[in-house]
Amino acid sequence: MGFKEQLDINRLPEHIAIIMDGNGRWAKNQGKFRVFGHESGVLSVKDIVEGCVDIGIKYLTVYAFSTENWNRPIEEVNALMELLISTINEQAETLNKNNVRLNAIGDLKSLPQKCIDDLANVMEVTSKNSRCTLTLALSYSAKWEILSATKKIAEQVKEGKLNLDEISEELFNAQLTTSNIPDPELMIRTSGEHRISNFLLWQMAYTELYFTETLWPDFRREDLFEAIVDYQKRERRFGKISEQLN
Ligand code: IPE
Ligand code: IPE
Ligand code: MG
């Protein structure tokens, strides 16, 4: 029996976040340049988005480029930006066909102008789609996001528009780039690294973490379904004891 058949379709996570890691090592293993790994990784993204659409995952967030990734060799950064631009433009039609809305989080204004424009365009042409929201984390860092939210709140306090005791989890959430997305129930990281790398720190306070050795360009929907089956075997207690659940 495949993993898809083992899924409990009534207990799917609403939101899955993925750290797509291992493109460079995948390419190197074959004696190819790192960029070849990134290009191949796009095929995994397409398959995973279709897998999510197929089973009914409402939100998928993928970490595509971190703030720290700006420190990579300039040739790799440029290649990643070009790949991003070509991919979002090539995929606009497929996103619409699959009823997927494109969204982006991160310090988007630090991206090349062409990237900003094309992203805005594809987000606009897919904005009415409702089956799944695909969020790209681009030039994203959780510490950047939390600091930005804190500054916005501090500004409102300073201007006398907000009292200290009005600062709640909900109010803080509303200042995050993910304000209109529920927290992920499941986070997957490929390539055998066991770390968060500055991804969704606030939002993942109670997320189930799943790590796999599989490198991102080898990750396909069957691997996603395997991760969800694993997630569905877990007991999420949120601080309570087993007997209190149900
Ligand atoms: C993930 O793969 C893609 C990005 C970070 C853009 P890597 O490029 O980090 O691949 P490895 O980890 O070096 O193998
Ligand atoms: C995390 O991967 C960022 C993305 C997948 C976009 P990295 O490869 O950049 O992370 P580290 O350097 O291993 O922490
Ligand atoms: Mg990596």
Side-chain angles (χ1 to χ4, degrees):
M1 187 161 71
F3 288 106
K4 188 178 172 187
E5 290 70 39
Q6 293 176 49
L7 287 173
D8 178 350
I9 225 69
N10 299 312
R11 286 175 49 246
L12 290 175
E14 193 180 14
H15 181 186
I16 298 176
I18 306 184
I19 302 181
M20 313 183 287
D21 198 14
N23 295 350
R25 279 164 282 168
W26 184 88
K28 201 175 162 195
N29 289 345
Q30 307 173 43
K32 303 261 175 55
F33 291 114
R34 293 179 57 84
V35 174
F36 180 64
H38 299 313
E39 287 164 0
S40 305
V42 173
L43 302 177
S44 298
V45 180
K46 287 202 264 193
D47 196 63
I48 296 310
V49 173
E50 283 178 16
C52 285
V53 168
D54 177 22
I55 61 172
I57 301 294
K58 297 296 291 175
Y59 298 90
L60 172 68
T61 300
V62 294
Y63 205 3
F65 194 85
S66 72
T67 308
E68 289 77 16
N69 289 148
W70 289 115
N71 298 319
R72 291 192 178 193
I74 183 73
E75 299 76 28
E76 180 164 344
V77 171
N78 289 341
L80 280 167
M81 292 303 145
E82 275 168 31
L83 186 60
L84 176 65
I85 292 169
S86 59
T87 303
I88 51 181
N89 288 315
E90 280 164 25
Q91 291 308 308
E93 213 179 299
T94 311
L95 291 173
N96 271 336
K97 200 183 78 206
N98 289 328
N99 199 5
V100 177
R101 180 171 78 93
L102 186 71
N103 179 38
I105 57 171
D107 187 13
L108 302 180
K109 59 187 183 315
S110 66
L111 296 168
Q113 193 57 48
K114 168 100 177 113
C115 201
I116 297 174
D117 295 343
D118 291 5
L119 252 181
N121 176 48
V122 179
M123 276 162 42
E124 169 61 28
V125 301
T126 61
S127 62
K128 302 272 180 334
N129 297 338
S130 58
R131 179 146 177 100
C132 178
T133 296
L134 167 65
T135 300
L136 305 178
L138 294 168
S139 193
Y140 177 87
S141 126
K143 285 192 175 180
W144 162 83
E145 176 178 47
I146 291 169
L147 275 177
S148 311
T150 306
K151 286 179 192 169
K152 281 186 250 172
I153 293 169
E155 193 68 37
Q156 291 181 42
V157 173
K158 195 173 123 194
E159 288 170 7
K161 292 179 184 157
L162 191 68
N163 291 321
L164 279 190
D165 49 13
E166 287 175 304
I167 302 175
S168 60
E169 258 186 51
E170 289 68 35
L171 185 124
F172 198 85
N173 259 324
Q175 301 302 327
L176 296 173
T177 58
T178 51
S179 59
N180 46 8
I181 303 176
D183 289 345
E185 294 97 329
L186 172 64
M187 192 285 287
I188 299 169
R189 182 170 189 152
T190 58
S191 90
E193 306 296 354
H194 294 184
R195 55 176 169 264
I196 304 292
S197 299
N198 217 345
F199 191 40
L200 302 177
L201 292 178
W202 169 277
Q203 298 85 343
M204 296 206 297
Y206 248 116
T207 297
E208 296 296 330
L209 308 180
Y210 179 89
F211 298 98
T212 170
E213 294 292 321
T214 305
L215 302 173
W216 179 250
D218 288 328
F219 195 85
R220 287 293 182 276
R221 68 183 83 179
E222 190 63 8
D223 303 288
L224 173 78
F225 300 154
E226 181 175 10
I228 301 173
V229 167
D230 184 280
Y231 159 85
Q232 291 184 330
K233 288 188 186 133
R234 303 183 189 187
E235 181 175 70
R236 304 189 77 203
R237 288 187 292 277
F238 298 100
K240 295 182 181 171
I241 65 168
S242 277
E243 288 72 16
Q244 289 175 292
L245 305 177
N246 305 316

